[in-house]
Amino acid sequence: MKTILHINGMMCGMCESHINDAIRKNFTVKKVKSSKRKNQTVIVADEILDEEKIRQVIKETGYELVRIEKK
């Protein structure tokens, strides 16, 4: 499963790392990669991730989650 998070507020590489670390800490994922340029985080996992938990985790990082896209 691929989940794409559209996130506002990432300004640098540390912002990307902060979000990646938060995702890894709260979910079992195969891969997570954030891009400040694209304002998105791409998550690859074996199972569907809980959207409410995703929203809470991103909110706690201080960034704005605009929308969640599943592929």
Side-chain angles (χ1 to χ4, degrees):
M1 282 301 303
K2 183 186 278 190
T3 305
I4 301 170
L5 310 180
H6 297 271
I7 301 172
N8 286 337
M10 289 188 283
M11 305 301 241
C12 65
M14 288 304 294
C15 295
E16 295 169 343
S17 293
H18 187 205
I19 289 176
N20 292 347
D21 290 345
I23 295 294
R24 285 188 194 103
K25 179 180 171 187
N26 288 280
F27 300 97
T28 302
V29 298
K30 286 184 166 187
K31 182 179 177 183
V32 59
K33 183 175 183 190
S34 295
S35 169
K36 66 183 185 302
R37 186 177 56 80
K38 294 180 181 178
N39 291 322
Q40 71 180 21
T41 297
V42 178
I43 305 165
V44 178
D46 284 332
E47 55 192 45
I48 296 171
L49 304 180
D50 182 309
E51 282 194 31
E52 280 307 310
K53 187 172 179 183
I54 291 172
R55 292 181 192 286
Q56 184 62 36
V57 167
I58 299 302
K59 183 178 181 181
E60 289 172 4
T61 65
Y63 300 97
E64 178 190 5
L65 178 60
V66 178
R67 71 185 168 100
I68 299 172
E69 183 181 339
K70 294 185 179 181
K71 295 194 172 200

